[in-house]
Amino acid sequence: REPKSRRRRRRSCRRSNHAHAMSTSAVMQAIARPCVHARVAPRTQNKAVARRTVVAAVSEPEAAAADADGEKKTRRRFPRKNITVQEDQVVVGASFTGKVKRIQDYGCFVDFGAKTDGLVHISELQAGFVDKVSEVVSEDQEVKVWIKEIKDNKISLTMKQPPTEEELAAAKSEQEAKFAARQAYKKAQDVKSQAVKALKKGQKIEGEVKSIQPFGAFVEVAEGVEGLVHITELSDDFNVNVEDFCKVGEKVTVTVIGIEGAKVKLSMKEKLDLSEMNAEAQSVVDNSASALEYAFKKKGISADMFPKGSAAAAAPAPAAEVSE
């Protein structure tokens, strides 16, 4: 028995010879219409192998007819736009009356007669907040728009009327006035800062009471500089009334007790300086006197003001007799 490889080669040669043996008429007929050819390979091991070759072809007249039918198909045509606004009229600030063509979540497109429709952003529909575009405009609604910006052949529109020249001039003057006020305030703050830096802790200054509050009084100690005299710095007593110690517009003498940035703390109480008191006491009284005795003496308090004890109490007790 011949080898299997040789049988495979013989089988392939038979197939190629069969294909070459097809006549010219058979080829033309196969091209002209679809057909099915069934070929049966040689039987091996009592089994028949069937192969089918499907050839689909279209004749030249049919192909030409198909191309003609494709050209005759109707195409979708958009309505021709009526252009009433020329390109030189499309400038920033110009106003037109248009019709809303499309509504989107971010705004609406308006046809105002130009070649390109303009977009009115949702923030340019009206003054104030707009939740939905459909709440303000609807399709085919006539609206008046102004050209806000033109960039990359895209036209941005607005439905908010732009300010007039008089309004622009008024806004400009108001802005200049605010700027001048800010500059004046800044200059006043600089002057105040320099005045605060000139103050020293412990310095006594005469100032004017500018205002009275439940927690204390504000006293002007320099031009544009006001310090606070807290209610606890008016007197050592409790539950005092600020108006009992000073009035608005009254001149008072205050002492600087603290400076924190631009805040000045003042006091109207007389503070006792123990260092000066001790120095003066050493020069006036003998060394045996204490600072407390000097303080009493300076306040006008002496030992004679206090009641003296009885003679019996002052006299020494007799010695007890010793019984024999």
Side-chain angles (χ1 to χ4, degrees):
R1 188 175 182 182
E2 60 181 351
K4 187 181 295 185
S5 59
R6 186 176 298 176
R7 292 199 303 272
R8 290 178 180 174
R9 285 197 297 271
R10 188 184 304 112
R11 199 175 302 142
S12 62
C13 291
R14 288 177 182 175
R15 293 173 185 169
S16 60
N17 294 334
H18 178 73
H20 286 294
M22 293 181 64
S23 60
T24 306
S25 60
V27 173
M28 296 301 295
Q29 185 178 4
I31 295 174
R33 66 179 182 276
C35 58
V36 178
H37 297 281
R39 295 180 297 171
V40 180
R43 292 186 179 184
T44 56
Q45 299 180 0
N46 299 327
K47 290 182 180 181
V49 180
R51 295 177 178 271
R52 290 190 177 186
T53 304
V54 179
V55 180
V58 181
S59 61
E60 295 182 359
E62 292 177 356
D67 294 339
D69 294 340
E71 292 180 356
K72 291 180 181 179
K73 288 182 179 180
T74 57
R75 296 180 179 179
R76 183 181 178 185
R77 294 182 179 180
F78 294 95
R80 189 172 182 179
K81 188 174 182 179
N82 185 18
I83 300 176
T84 58
V85 178
Q86 303 302 324
E87 294 183 359
D88 56 350
Q89 297 177 345
V90 182
V91 293
V92 177
S95 61
F96 302 95
T97 301
K99 185 177 292 186
V100 179
K101 290 299 183 182
R102 286 180 295 160
I103 294 178
Q104 303 293 340
D105 294 337
Y106 51 84
C108 64
F109 290 89
V110 178
D111 180 10
F112 59 97
K115 185 177 179 180
T116 306
D117 293 346
L119 170 64
V120 180
H121 194 261
I122 188 173
S123 61
E124 298 295 333
L125 291 174
Q126 65 180 12
F129 177 75
V130 177
D131 187 17
K132 293 182 179 180
V133 181
S134 58
E135 296 178 354
V136 182
V137 294
S138 59
E139 291 188 1
D140 297 333
Q141 178 183 350
E142 288 189 358
V143 293
K144 188 174 183 179
V145 293
W146 289 265
I147 298 178
K148 182 180 179 182
E149 185 182 7
I150 301 174
K151 185 178 181 181
D152 300 334
N153 295 329
K154 295 180 180 179
I155 304 175
S156 298
L157 304 176
T158 178
M159 291 175 57
K160 296 187 292 186
Q161 185 175 0
T164 60
E165 295 182 358
E166 292 79 5
E167 293 176 350
L168 290 175
K172 185 177 180 180
S173 61
E174 183 179 358
Q175 186 177 5
E176 292 177 353
K178 289 182 179 179
F179 178 76
R182 287 195 299 268
Q183 293 296 324
Y185 176 77
K186 185 178 179 181
K187 187 177 180 179
Q189 291 298 318
D190 294 339
V191 174
K192 181 179 179 181
S193 178
Q194 295 297 329
V196 171
K197 290 180 180 179
L199 298 176
K200 302 296 181 181
K201 187 176 180 180
Q203 181 180 0
K204 290 187 176 182
I205 306 173
E206 183 179 359
E208 182 181 354
V209 179
K210 290 296 183 180
S211 63
I212 294 177
Q213 303 296 334
F215 52 85
F218 287 93
V219 179
E220 186 179 16
V221 295
E223 185 179 358
V225 180
E226 293 184 3
L228 172 63
V229 181
H230 196 263
I231 191 171
T232 57
E233 295 297 333
L234 293 173
S235 175
D236 292 330
D237 299 332
F238 295 97
N239 299 326
V240 297
N241 190 4
V242 181
E243 295 181 352
D244 294 340
F245 294 88
C246 58
K247 304 292 183 181
V248 176
E250 183 182 356
K251 295 288 185 177
V252 293
T253 301
V254 293
T255 305
V256 179
I257 60 174
I259 300 174
E260 296 180 1
K263 297 180 180 180
V264 181
K265 296 181 180 180
L266 305 175
S267 175
M268 291 177 62
K269 294 192 299 185
E270 293 184 2
K271 303 288 184 179
L272 294 178
D273 192 352
L274 296 180
S275 61
E276 295 181 359
M277 184 185 302
N278 290 332
E280 188 177 355
Q282 290 178 2
S283 63
V284 175
V285 298
D286 54 357
N287 296 331
S288 61
S290 63
L292 184 60
E293 292 175 351
Y294 174 73
F296 282 131
K297 184 177 180 180
K298 190 174 181 180
K299 292 294 183 179
I301 302 174
S302 62
D304 298 336
M305 300 175 61
F306 295 94
K308 295 181 180 181
S310 62
E321 295 181 358
V322 179
S323 61
E324 293 181 357

